[in-house]
């Protein structure tokens, strides 16, 4: 007998009170996370880090951060995969950002994404995230953006698990 039997559904929300976009991203090296725990609802209830490592905060420019998850099912192969993509834009071309981008480009990462609804999600949990694209644009006009755009991408089995706020507070 299959263990993939549907056991519920969802209706329309009572209120239209959801908000798009992301607020903050917290990133660390993938190797810094030695394990994470899930409860029966598959919410992350604990993260074990190696040594005194932690997640570092990255704040995107207002209205520029995005977390996308694309689930792909292969009927022919009997497989499921999820591509997770985090996009963030940060202003100014400064040596500190240049040096951080250099490190990000060389690293396998794991990230905590805080969306604008106050929900946290663990991206790249099992296989990590890679900085696949980054670009700097000086702009042309005085009102144009002067910013870096970064894109972190990872392939996971399933969409990102939600994380309790107390767990996030313990690792940042």
């Amino acid at each position: 007998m299959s263990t993939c039997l549907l056991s519920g559904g969802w209706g329309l929300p009572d209120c239209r009170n959801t908000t798009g976009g992301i607020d903050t991203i917290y990133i660390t090296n993938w190797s810094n996370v030695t394990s994470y725990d899930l409860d029966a609802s598959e919410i992350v209830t604990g993260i074990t880090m190696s040594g005194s490592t932690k997640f570092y905060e990255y704040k995107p420019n207002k209205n520029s951060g995005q977390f996308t998850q694309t689930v792909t099912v292969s009927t022919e192969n009997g497989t499921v995969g999820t591509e997770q993509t985090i996009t963030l834009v940060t202003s100014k071309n400064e040596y500190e950002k240049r040096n951080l981008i250099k490190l990000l480009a060389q690293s396998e990462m794991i990230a905590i994404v805080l969306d604008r609804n106050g929900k946290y999600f663990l991206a790249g949990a099992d296989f990590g995230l890679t900085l696949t694209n980054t670009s700097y644009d000086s702009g042309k006009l005085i009102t144009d953006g002067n910013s870096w755009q970064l894109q972190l991408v990872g392939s996971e089995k399933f969409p990102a698990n939600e994380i309790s706020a107390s767990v996030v507070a313990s690792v940042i």
Side-chain angles (χ1 to χ4, degrees):
M1 189 54 114
S2 176
T3 59
C4 304
L5 298 175
L6 295 178
S7 60
W10 65 77
L12 290 175
D14 294 337
C15 302
R16 290 187 182 106
N17 61 352
T18 190
T19 304
I22 59 174
D23 181 77
T24 308
I25 301 162
Y26 302 93
I27 301 172
T28 193
N29 290 89
W30 187 72
S31 61
N32 290 343
V33 175
T34 57
S35 66
Y36 62 94
D37 302 314
L38 302 174
D39 66 11
S41 299
E42 295 194 3
I43 294 175
V44 177
T45 57
I47 295 177
T48 304
M49 310 263 314
S50 60
S52 61
T53 58
K54 64 179 187 173
F55 283 80
Y56 296 96
E57 179 179 285
Y58 292 78
K59 238 2 192 175
N61 285 359
K62 193 174 190 177
N63 298 324
S64 70
Q66 185 174 4
F67 179 44
T68 305
Q69 299 188 88
T70 304
V71 178
T72 302
V73 177
S74 171
T75 305
E76 300 81 13
N77 296 325
T79 57
V80 177
T82 302
E83 182 173 282
Q84 298 174 345
T85 304
I86 300 169
T87 303
L88 65 127
V89 175
T90 183
S91 294
K92 296 184 180 178
N93 188 17
E94 305 167 300
Y95 77 91
E96 299 96 342
K97 288 182 184 164
R98 180 258 183 211
N99 292 343
L100 278 172
I101 290 168
K102 180 181 170 186
L103 290 173
L104 290 169
Q106 298 174 63
S107 301
E108 267 315 295
M109 296 158 280
I110 186 170
I112 297 171
V113 178
L114 171 60
D115 72 14
R116 287 203 182 139
N117 298 297
K119 301 276 188 184
Y120 294 94
F121 298 92
L122 188 61
D126 293 323
F127 301 109
L129 300 166
T130 304
L131 179 66
T132 59
N133 293 302
T134 185
S135 62
Y136 168 74
D137 186 352
S138 69
K140 292 187 231 174
L141 304 174
I142 199 164
T143 56
D144 285 350
N146 179 294
S147 58
W148 284 96
Q149 180 170 333
L150 294 89
Q151 194 170 58
L152 305 172
V153 178
S155 294
E156 297 288 320
K157 293 179 187 177
F158 301 107
N161 296 83
E162 189 174 334
I163 310 172
S164 66
S166 62
V167 171
V168 174
S170 72
V171 295
I172 59 172

